[in-house]
Amino acid sequence: QVQLVESGGGLVQPGGSLRLSCAASGSIFSINAMGWYRQAPGKQRELVAYITNGGSTNYADSVKGRFSISRENAKNTVYLQMNSLKPEDTAVYYCNTYPYYWDYWGQGTQVTVSS
């Protein structure tokens, strides 16, 4: 059974940093690009960044230069380093394959940026 478990969220002040982690089942991690998505209150879920098996990355314009996605294949883990956080980054953050599969959504991790 595929499982994705996100962690690392929390409350941070504007300008602060957080590092999110996503532990993935080996069965999907080894063959798929992985992505981070987020959903803010009242908004649709959106793609934040993804990373291919070969390490190529792509970012939403809103986070370019501030967020960095990486993966550690030996641990079946994908990370999202978030710097210079803004209040508009407040959302529940999820990981999934890229493109995503509906059945793979986990609980997500809440990120709140507020003073």
PDB file of all heavy atoms in Angstrom, residues 2-29:
ATOM      1  N   VAL A   2       0.545   2.166  -0.866  1.00  0.00           N
ATOM      2  CA  VAL A   2       1.313   3.401  -0.954  1.00  0.00           C
ATOM      3  C   VAL A   2       1.018   4.278   0.250  1.00  0.00           C
ATOM      4  O   VAL A   2      -0.125   4.444   0.643  1.00  0.00           O
ATOM      5  CB  VAL A   2       0.970   4.155  -2.250  1.00  0.00           C
ATOM      6  CG1 VAL A   2       1.628   5.524  -2.252  1.00  0.00           C
ATOM      7  CG2 VAL A   2       1.394   3.348  -3.463  1.00  0.00           C
ATOM      8  N   GLN A   3       2.075   4.838   0.804  1.00  0.00           N
ATOM      9  CA  GLN A   3       1.905   5.733   1.936  1.00  0.00           C
ATOM     10  C   GLN A   3       2.862   6.911   1.806  1.00  0.00           C
ATOM     11  O   GLN A   3       4.038   6.733   1.477  1.00  0.00           O
ATOM     12  CB  GLN A   3       2.177   4.983   3.242  1.00  0.00           C
ATOM     13  CG  GLN A   3       1.568   5.632   4.462  1.00  0.00           C
ATOM     14  CD  GLN A   3       1.624   4.742   5.685  1.00  0.00           C
ATOM     15  OE1 GLN A   3       2.424   3.817   5.749  1.00  0.00           O
ATOM     16  NE2 GLN A   3       0.779   5.031   6.655  1.00  0.00           N
ATOM     17  N   LEU A   4       2.335   8.097   2.054  1.00  0.00           N
ATOM     18  CA  LEU A   4       3.128   9.316   2.060  1.00  0.00           C
ATOM     19  C   LEU A   4       2.860  10.020   3.374  1.00  0.00           C
ATOM     20  O   LEU A   4       1.710  10.306   3.701  1.00  0.00           O
ATOM     21  CB  LEU A   4       2.737  10.222   0.889  1.00  0.00           C
ATOM     22  CG  LEU A   4       2.979   9.655  -0.507  1.00  0.00           C
ATOM     23  CD1 LEU A   4       2.268  10.483  -1.555  1.00  0.00           C
ATOM     24  CD2 LEU A   4       4.471   9.607  -0.799  1.00  0.00           C
ATOM     25  N   VAL A   5       3.919  10.304   4.123  1.00  0.00           N
ATOM     26  CA  VAL A   5       3.771  10.914   5.437  1.00  0.00           C
ATOM     27  C   VAL A   5       4.579  12.195   5.482  1.00  0.00           C
ATOM     28  O   VAL A   5       5.819  12.159   5.400  1.00  0.00           O
ATOM     29  CB  VAL A   5       4.224   9.957   6.556  1.00  0.00           C
ATOM     30  CG1 VAL A   5       4.060  10.625   7.909  1.00  0.00           C
ATOM     31  CG2 VAL A   5       3.428   8.649   6.493  1.00  0.00           C
ATOM     32  N   GLU A   6       3.863  13.320   5.610  1.00  0.00           N
ATOM     33  CA  GLU A   6       4.506  14.627   5.659  1.00  0.00           C
ATOM     34  C   GLU A   6       4.755  15.048   7.112  1.00  0.00           C
ATOM     35  O   GLU A   6       3.981  14.701   8.007  1.00  0.00           O
ATOM     36  CB  GLU A   6       3.621  15.690   4.993  1.00  0.00           C
ATOM     37  CG  GLU A   6       3.248  15.392   3.559  1.00  0.00           C
ATOM     38  CD  GLU A   6       1.922  14.678   3.403  1.00  0.00           C
ATOM     39  OE1 GLU A   6       1.403  14.138   4.410  1.00  0.00           O
ATOM     40  OE2 GLU A   6       1.391  14.655   2.274  1.00  0.00           O
ATOM     41  N   SER A   7       5.814  15.823   7.306  1.00  0.00           N
ATOM     42  CA  SER A   7       6.126  16.342   8.640  1.00  0.00           C
ATOM     43  C   SER A   7       6.954  17.612   8.505  1.00  0.00           C
ATOM     44  O   SER A   7       7.456  17.919   7.419  1.00  0.00           O
ATOM     45  CB  SER A   7       6.890  15.298   9.459  1.00  0.00           C
ATOM     46  OG  SER A   7       8.117  14.985   8.843  1.00  0.00           O
ATOM     47  N   GLY A   8       7.086  18.334   9.611  1.00  0.00           N
ATOM     48  CA  GLY A   8       7.959  19.496   9.642  1.00  0.00           C
ATOM     49  C   GLY A   8       7.260  20.838   9.635  1.00  0.00           C
ATOM     50  O   GLY A   8       7.919  21.880   9.713  1.00  0.00           O
ATOM     51  N   GLY A   9       5.943  20.837   9.538  1.00  0.00           N
ATOM     52  CA  GLY A   9       5.230  22.103   9.535  1.00  0.00           C
ATOM     53  C   GLY A   9       5.214  22.747  10.907  1.00  0.00           C
ATOM     54  O   GLY A   9       5.696  22.184  11.896  1.00  0.00           O
ATOM     55  N   GLY A  10       4.650  23.954  10.966  1.00  0.00           N
ATOM     56  CA  GLY A  10       4.574  24.651  12.241  1.00  0.00           C
ATOM     57  C   GLY A  10       4.246  26.114  12.043  1.00  0.00           C
ATOM     58  O   GLY A  10       3.903  26.550  10.948  1.00  0.00           O
ATOM     59  N   LEU A  11       4.383  26.854  13.140  1.00  0.00           N
ATOM     60  CA  LEU A  11       4.150  28.294  13.132  1.00  0.00           C
ATOM     61  C   LEU A  11       5.491  29.012  13.050  1.00  0.00           C
ATOM     62  O   LEU A  11       6.404  28.713  13.842  1.00  0.00           O
ATOM     63  CB  LEU A  11       3.409  28.707  14.403  1.00  0.00           C
ATOM     64  CG  LEU A  11       3.225  30.201  14.645  1.00  0.00           C
ATOM     65  CD1 LEU A  11       2.344  30.821  13.558  1.00  0.00           C
ATOM     66  CD2 LEU A  11       2.616  30.436  16.033  1.00  0.00           C
ATOM     67  N   VAL A  12       5.615  29.923  12.122  1.00  0.00           N
ATOM     68  CA  VAL A  12       6.871  30.645  11.932  1.00  0.00           C
ATOM     69  C   VAL A  12       6.563  32.104  11.614  1.00  0.00           C
ATOM     70  O   VAL A  12       5.524  32.409  11.010  1.00  0.00           O
ATOM     71  CB  VAL A  12       7.714  29.980  10.815  1.00  0.00           C
ATOM     72  CG1 VAL A  12       6.997  30.051   9.474  1.00  0.00           C
ATOM     73  CG2 VAL A  12       9.100  30.565  10.744  1.00  0.00           C
ATOM     74  N   GLN A  13       7.450  32.982  12.003  1.00  0.00           N
ATOM     75  CA  GLN A  13       7.268  34.400  11.715  1.00  0.00           C
ATOM     76  C   GLN A  13       7.640  34.708  10.267  1.00  0.00           C
ATOM     77  O   GLN A  13       8.445  33.986   9.662  1.00  0.00           O
ATOM     78  CB  GLN A  13       8.132  35.231  12.655  1.00  0.00           C
ATOM     79  CG  GLN A  13       7.668  35.192  14.109  1.00  0.00           C
ATOM     80  CD  GLN A  13       8.451  36.156  14.977  1.00  0.00           C
ATOM     81  OE1 GLN A  13       9.525  36.619  14.620  1.00  0.00           O
ATOM     82  NE2 GLN A  13       7.894  36.468  16.134  1.00  0.00           N
ATOM     83  N   PRO A  14       7.087  35.766   9.709  1.00  0.00           N
ATOM     84  CA  PRO A  14       7.494  36.174   8.352  1.00  0.00           C
ATOM     85  C   PRO A  14       9.004  36.352   8.275  1.00  0.00           C
ATOM     86  O   PRO A  14       9.628  36.900   9.197  1.00  0.00           O
ATOM     87  CB  PRO A  14       6.762  37.502   8.163  1.00  0.00           C
ATOM     88  CG  PRO A  14       5.542  37.373   9.022  1.00  0.00           C
ATOM     89  CD  PRO A  14       6.002  36.610  10.232  1.00  0.00           C
ATOM     90  N   GLY A  15       9.571  35.844   7.182  1.00  0.00           N
ATOM     91  CA  GLY A  15      11.011  35.865   7.010  1.00  0.00           C
ATOM     92  C   GLY A  15      11.717  34.639   7.537  1.00  0.00           C
ATOM     93  O   GLY A  15      12.916  34.461   7.302  1.00  0.00           O
ATOM     94  N   GLY A  16      11.003  33.797   8.250  1.00  0.00           N
ATOM     95  CA  GLY A  16      11.590  32.605   8.831  1.00  0.00           C
ATOM     96  C   GLY A  16      11.698  31.455   7.846  1.00  0.00           C
ATOM     97  O   GLY A  16      11.371  31.589   6.667  1.00  0.00           O
ATOM     98  N   SER A  17      12.162  30.318   8.372  1.00  0.00           N
ATOM     99  CA  SER A  17      12.398  29.134   7.535  1.00  0.00           C
ATOM    100  C   SER A  17      11.789  27.893   8.173  1.00  0.00           C
ATOM    101  O   SER A  17      11.670  27.807   9.400  1.00  0.00           O
ATOM    102  CB  SER A  17      13.902  28.911   7.349  1.00  0.00           C
ATOM    103  OG  SER A  17      14.500  29.988   6.672  1.00  0.00           O
ATOM    104  N   LEU A  18      11.441  26.950   7.332  1.00  0.00           N
ATOM    105  CA  LEU A  18      10.996  25.626   7.751  1.00  0.00           C
ATOM    106  C   LEU A  18      11.499  24.607   6.739  1.00  0.00           C
ATOM    107  O   LEU A  18      11.673  24.941   5.558  1.00  0.00           O
ATOM    108  CB  LEU A  18       9.470  25.532   7.830  1.00  0.00           C
ATOM    109  CG  LEU A  18       8.757  26.143   9.035  1.00  0.00           C
ATOM    110  CD1 LEU A  18       7.249  26.065   8.822  1.00  0.00           C
ATOM    111  CD2 LEU A  18       9.149  25.460  10.329  1.00  0.00           C
ATOM    112  N   ARG A  19      11.681  23.385   7.196  1.00  0.00           N
ATOM    113  CA  ARG A  19      12.040  22.295   6.299  1.00  0.00           C
ATOM    114  C   ARG A  19      11.005  21.190   6.448  1.00  0.00           C
ATOM    115  O   ARG A  19      10.862  20.611   7.522  1.00  0.00           O
ATOM    116  CB  ARG A  19      13.430  21.754   6.629  1.00  0.00           C
ATOM    117  CG  ARG A  19      13.958  20.758   5.601  1.00  0.00           C
ATOM    118  CD  ARG A  19      15.136  20.013   6.139  1.00  0.00           C
ATOM    119  NE  ARG A  19      15.881  19.326   5.101  1.00  0.00           N
ATOM    120  CZ  ARG A  19      16.685  18.285   5.339  1.00  0.00           C
ATOM    121  NH1 ARG A  19      16.852  17.839   6.559  1.00  0.00           N
ATOM    122  NH2 ARG A  19      17.338  17.712   4.339  1.00  0.00           N
ATOM    123  N   LEU A  20      10.307  20.917   5.377  1.00  0.00           N
ATOM    124  CA  LEU A  20       9.318  19.851   5.367  1.00  0.00           C
ATOM    125  C   LEU A  20       9.951  18.561   4.865  1.00  0.00           C
ATOM    126  O   LEU A  20      10.837  18.590   4.010  1.00  0.00           O
ATOM    127  CB  LEU A  20       8.138  20.216   4.484  1.00  0.00           C
ATOM    128  CG  LEU A  20       7.460  21.557   4.771  1.00  0.00           C
ATOM    129  CD1 LEU A  20       6.258  21.734   3.841  1.00  0.00           C
ATOM    130  CD2 LEU A  20       7.049  21.676   6.213  1.00  0.00           C
ATOM    131  N   SER A  21       9.453  17.449   5.392  1.00  0.00           N
ATOM    132  CA  SER A  21       9.909  16.132   4.950  1.00  0.00           C
ATOM    133  C   SER A  21       8.717  15.285   4.545  1.00  0.00           C
ATOM    134  O   SER A  21       7.630  15.429   5.104  1.00  0.00           O
ATOM    135  CB  SER A  21      10.665  15.416   6.073  1.00  0.00           C
ATOM    136  OG  SER A  21      11.801  16.129   6.469  1.00  0.00           O
ATOM    137  N   CYS A  22       8.932  14.402   3.601  1.00  0.00           N
ATOM    138  CA  CYS A  22       7.900  13.462   3.164  1.00  0.00           C
ATOM    139  C   CYS A  22       8.538  12.101   2.980  1.00  0.00           C
ATOM    140  O   CYS A  22       9.408  11.935   2.117  1.00  0.00           O
ATOM    141  CB  CYS A  22       7.262  13.935   1.874  1.00  0.00           C
ATOM    142  SG  CYS A  22       6.144  12.725   1.128  1.00  0.00           S
ATOM    143  N   ALA A  23       8.108  11.154   3.797  1.00  0.00           N
ATOM    144  CA  ALA A  23       8.585   9.780   3.676  1.00  0.00           C
ATOM    145  C   ALA A  23       7.627   9.014   2.787  1.00  0.00           C
ATOM    146  O   ALA A  23       6.412   8.995   3.042  1.00  0.00           O
ATOM    147  CB  ALA A  23       8.674   9.146   5.049  1.00  0.00           C
ATOM    148  N   ALA A  24       8.153   8.401   1.758  1.00  0.00           N
ATOM    149  CA  ALA A  24       7.318   7.738   0.758  1.00  0.00           C
ATOM    150  C   ALA A  24       7.601   6.245   0.698  1.00  0.00           C
ATOM    151  O   ALA A  24       8.693   5.791   1.010  1.00  0.00           O
ATOM    152  CB  ALA A  24       7.569   8.358  -0.607  1.00  0.00           C
ATOM    153  N   SER A  25       6.573   5.503   0.313  1.00  0.00           N
ATOM    154  CA  SER A  25       6.760   4.073   0.081  1.00  0.00           C
ATOM    155  C   SER A  25       7.774   3.873  -1.032  1.00  0.00           C
ATOM    156  O   SER A  25       7.745   4.580  -2.030  1.00  0.00           O
ATOM    157  CB  SER A  25       5.443   3.422  -0.327  1.00  0.00           C
ATOM    158  OG  SER A  25       4.477   3.584   0.658  1.00  0.00           O
ATOM    159  N   GLY A  26       8.624   2.903  -0.849  1.00  0.00           N
ATOM    160  CA  GLY A  26       9.642   2.655  -1.847  1.00  0.00           C
ATOM    161  C   GLY A  26       9.088   2.332  -3.212  1.00  0.00           C
ATOM    162  O   GLY A  26       9.701   2.616  -4.221  1.00  0.00           O
ATOM    163  N   SER A  27       7.884   1.758  -3.239  1.00  0.00           N
ATOM    164  CA  SER A  27       7.334   1.318  -4.506  1.00  0.00           C
ATOM    165  C   SER A  27       7.024   2.468  -5.447  1.00  0.00           C
ATOM    166  O   SER A  27       6.983   2.283  -6.656  1.00  0.00           O
ATOM    167  CB  SER A  27       6.069   0.491  -4.275  1.00  0.00           C
ATOM    168  OG  SER A  27       5.094   1.272  -3.602  1.00  0.00           O
ATOM    169  N   ILE A  28       6.776   3.656  -4.913  1.00  0.00           N
ATOM    170  CA  ILE A  28       6.506   4.782  -5.801  1.00  0.00           C
ATOM    171  C   ILE A  28       7.694   5.706  -5.897  1.00  0.00           C
ATOM    172  O   ILE A  28       7.908   6.347  -6.906  1.00  0.00           O
ATOM    173  CB  ILE A  28       5.264   5.582  -5.344  1.00  0.00           C
ATOM    174  CG1 ILE A  28       5.474   6.198  -3.955  1.00  0.00           C
ATOM    175  CG2 ILE A  28       4.034   4.704  -5.391  1.00  0.00           C
ATOM    176  CD1 ILE A  28       4.393   7.191  -3.595  1.00  0.00           C
ATOM    177  N   PHE A  29       8.486   5.746  -4.844  1.00  0.00           N
ATOM    178  CA  PHE A  29       9.554   6.732  -4.820  1.00  0.00           C
ATOM    179  C   PHE A  29      10.580   6.465  -5.908  1.00  0.00           C
ATOM    180  O   PHE A  29      11.106   7.393  -6.509  1.00  0.00           O
ATOM    181  CB  PHE A  29      10.228   6.736  -3.443  1.00  0.00           C
ATOM    182  CG  PHE A  29      11.107   7.928  -3.202  1.00  0.00           C
ATOM    183  CD1 PHE A  29      10.574   9.090  -2.704  1.00  0.00           C
ATOM    184  CD2 PHE A  29      12.464   7.876  -3.483  1.00  0.00           C
ATOM    185  CE1 PHE A  29      11.364  10.200  -2.476  1.00  0.00           C
ATOM    186  CE2 PHE A  29      13.273   8.973  -3.263  1.00  0.00           C
ATOM    187  CZ  PHE A  29      12.729  10.138  -2.755  1.00  0.00           C
TER     188      PHE A  29
END
